[in-house]
Amino acid sequence: METKLLTKFRIFKLVFESNVHDHGSMWTYKHIQGEENHEFDSEKEALEWVHENPEIMIKCREFVILPVYHLVLA
């Protein structure tokens, strides 16, 4: 029996948040508004989507493409 690993990717915007109470700051990952469930089969496919949707990506100039889960198909 042959098994196959399937990975899905999502685009997250990077947001720099600062906390006044503890004087700390950090980068956090946030979903792109309206695109929370948009998944891609590869990083290349996600980058192509970014190039095709500049109006959405203008709002989040800093972004990262991350694997969100893996499936093992048997």
Side-chain angles (χ1 to χ4, degrees):
M1 179 185 296
E2 184 178 329
T3 60
K4 181 178 179 183
L5 178 66
L6 179 66
T7 304
K8 293 293 185 173
F9 296 86
R10 286 189 186 159
I11 302 171
F12 294 92
K13 64 181 174 179
L14 286 170
V15 178
F16 189 73
E17 294 183 343
S18 60
N19 189 341
V20 177
H21 301 292
D22 64 7
H23 304 288
S25 57
M26 64 184 162
W27 285 95
T28 59
Y29 302 128
K30 301 282 184 177
H31 289 286
I32 298 173
Q33 192 70 26
E35 299 297 327
E36 293 89 352
N37 297 319
H38 204 120
E39 296 176 349
F40 303 94
D41 294 328
S42 68
E43 288 182 68
K44 181 181 177 187
E45 187 178 309
L47 284 172
E48 288 172 357
W49 184 89
V50 167
H51 290 291
E52 293 171 1
N53 295 284
E55 67 281 353
I56 294 172
M57 299 309 294
I58 286 172
K59 296 177 184 175
C60 59
R61 295 180 187 267
E62 292 85 16
F63 67 92
V64 64
I65 300 169
L66 297 174
V68 288
Y69 62 87
H70 304 284
L71 295 172
V72 177
L73 304 175

